[in-house]
């Protein structure tokens, strides 16, 4: 296994950062890595907003609730799925924006943005930095859009904290191959045969250093999805101009 | 710049592959890299289907139309946004599936799946392999789902061809920082000030080795979004059980 892949297999989300500052050169490399990935039809449908203002950072951290590292991390980026550039170009030429508003275009911009973010994550980890995706900005996605003054056809998908890692957990065991890889057709029987993996996760939670618990992977999912999360996201997306059609 | 980031900046989509076979060990490393990335609340909401059957591969390639490399590449994976495991767990415990069906959960599974795919892409390129995201499976997303026997709460987002690169183009120039990075708020004026980048892209298309053309980035986007693409995607997603609410 080469060092790049080895590095990827060591990934853990880091939520505890040392009080060290990233240089502008480091940030420039992260931003370059982010924009170097694949992009559907070269549309580059994402923007990245760095949150350097303390007040704004705290307001965003309060929205995330469970993510105090948003306040403390040296660097915090918000990743925005973004078709506003295309809207501006089309409007300038008196063209309809309908092609930007459908579900297909929302997928394109979501996928482009996530590719960019994961590139940044791997680049950061390759420098020994730690990262955490912060999906919890979607706890109040409208407020995030207001705070960042997002125009139509943009969606703030997630944030990313980046810094020099303090406490770093061991990687969590992922699903066995039989639970997520199949050949030529979806293999529901194999994917849903989670007993082996449930045992692995139960042992992992029972034996890890901190926040020990008694739960399988199935238990955790059952518990998590017992309630509906972020029911306002669809309405927000529609307010931004996407028709979800 | 370290070799990992350097490698990322050299990314180009590869659509021409040599007639060489990837070992199972190589594929296992790619699949391991794919599952090692971040995942929202550890839900791991993706599956990967390898297409080894020749007939099936050709049927999928015909759907993609513009992607003949789907027929020829040694390895072809389809990436599926997947909340079916969670549905099975919830059903077993007589719980409602509503929490899986909303827009928030569709974002979660789309983002998880794309993180996995980009990890695989970077892992493949780190071994000297070439990759191409194949979004054009969405040309007929219902047929893809039928061919792969996808159950409810799954969406085939894109494929990925992987192999030993034949012809490899030079990387395309990406947007200047002022067009995709801002501080503390969305900067529409700066993001839409595309004149410099339009010139860069015009020169790139005029001078590249093959398929020379006379177009700016704005021209290309104007042309591409003059028509509505894949208007059936939303209906398909709803048929799969997502409410888009």
């Amino acid at each position: 296994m080469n060092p790049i892949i080895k590095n990827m297999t060591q990934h853990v989300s880091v939520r505890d950062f040392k009080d060290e500052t990233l240089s502008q050169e480091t940030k420039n490399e992260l931003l370059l890595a982010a924009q170097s990935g694949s992009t559907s039809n070269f549309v580059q449908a994402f923007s990245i907003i760095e949150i350097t203002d303390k007040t704004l950072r705290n307001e965003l951290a309060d929205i995330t609730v469970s993510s105090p590292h948003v306040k403390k991390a040296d660097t915090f980026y918000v990743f925005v799925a973004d078709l506003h550039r295309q809207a501006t170009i089309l409007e300038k030429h008196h063209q309809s924006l309908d092609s930007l508003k459908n579900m297909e275009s929302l997928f394109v911009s979501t996928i482009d943005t996530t590719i960019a973010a994961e590139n940044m994550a791997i680049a950061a980890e390759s420098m020994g930095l730690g990262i955490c995706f912060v999906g919890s900005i979607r706890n109040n996605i409208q407020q995030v859009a207001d705070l960042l003054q997002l125009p139509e056809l943009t969606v703030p998908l997630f944030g990313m904290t980046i810094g020099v890692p303090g406490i770093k957990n061991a990687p969590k065991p992922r699903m066995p191959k039989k639970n997520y890889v199949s050949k030529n057709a979806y293999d529901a029987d194999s994917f849903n045969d989670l007993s082996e993996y449930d045992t692995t996760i139960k042992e992992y939670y029972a034996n890890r250093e901190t926040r020990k618990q008694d739960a399988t992977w199935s238990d955790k999912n059952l518990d998590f999805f017992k309630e509906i999360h972020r029911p306002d996201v669809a309405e927000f997306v529609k307010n931004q101009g996407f028709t979800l059609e």
Side-chain angles (χ1 to χ4, degrees), chain A residues 163-190:
Chain A
V164 177
I167 298 164
K168 210 169 160 178
N169 297 317
K172 276 187 192 170
R174 306 299 168 110
M175 287 191 283
K177 205 170 147 191
K178 70 168 182 183
N179 292 122
Y180 77 105
V181 183
S182 64
K183 279 191 182 166
N184 300 312
Y186 192 93
D187 190 346
D189 288 344
S190 182

Side-chain angles (χ1 to χ4, degrees), chain A residues 40-239:
Chain A
S40 178
N41 285 286
F42 204 46
V43 296
Q44 305 174 69
F46 61 89
S47 294
I48 303 173
I49 303 179
E50 187 183 4
I51 313 300
T52 57
D53 181 89
K54 278 275 169 226
T55 308
L56 178 59
R57 181 83 81 93
N58 287 338
E59 286 172 312
L60 291 169
D62 288 344
I63 291 170
T64 67
V65 185
S66 63
S67 306
H69 55 102
V70 172
K71 276 186 190 154
K72 290 180 203 156
D74 176 70
T75 301
F76 183 56
Y77 293 112
V78 174
F79 283 81
V80 180
D82 188 354
L83 290 162
H84 186 68
R85 285 176 210 86
Q86 280 79 11
T88 308
I89 293 167
L90 289 171
E91 276 168 348
K92 203 189 283 180
H93 292 83
H94 311 291
Q95 297 291 319
S96 159
L97 304 188
D98 287 354
S99 61
L100 302 173
K101 294 180 174 181
N102 72 0
M103 193 63 216
E104 163 65 13
S105 287
L106 183 58
F107 272 131
V108 163
S109 56
T110 302
I111 292 166
D112 264 23
T113 306
T114 307
I115 288 171
E118 185 57 9
N119 263 20
M120 185 185 281
I122 292 173
E125 290 176 344
S126 79
M127 300 183 201
L129 300 171
I131 68 101
C132 189
F133 276 76
V134 181
S136 52
I137 63 165
R138 297 193 304 273
N139 285 345
N140 192 337
I141 194 166
Q142 181 66 60
Q143 198 188 339
V144 172
D146 292 344
L147 286 168
L148 302 182
Q149 301 166 44
L150 298 190
E152 80 172 331
L153 297 172
T154 62
V155 178
L157 288 180
F158 43 73
M160 187 180 291
T161 49
I162 309 183
V164 177
I167 298 164
K168 210 169 160 178
N169 297 317
K172 276 187 192 170
R174 306 299 168 110
M175 287 191 283
K177 205 170 147 191
K178 70 168 182 183
N179 292 122
Y180 77 105
V181 183
S182 64
K183 279 191 182 166
N184 300 312
Y186 192 93
D187 190 346
D189 288 344
S190 182
F191 289 175
N192 287 317
D193 179 14
L194 290 159
S195 52
E196 178 194 338
Y197 186 50
D198 275 342
T199 305
T200 302
I201 289 296
K202 199 180 169 80
E203 284 170 6
Y204 164 78
Y205 283 133
N207 295 310
R208 69 178 181 180
E209 293 289 313
T210 56
R211 298 194 301 131
K212 287 187 206 297
Q213 51 188 293
D214 178 23
T216 66
W217 188 75
S218 293
D219 291 340
K220 295 287 279 182
N221 277 278
L222 181 63
D223 189 53
F224 184 73
F225 286 110
K226 266 187 181 160
E227 68 181 272
I228 292 173
H229 298 279
R230 303 168 186 154
D232 51 335
V233 166
E235 195 58 33
F236 166 77
V237 169
K238 280 194 231 175
N239 287 342

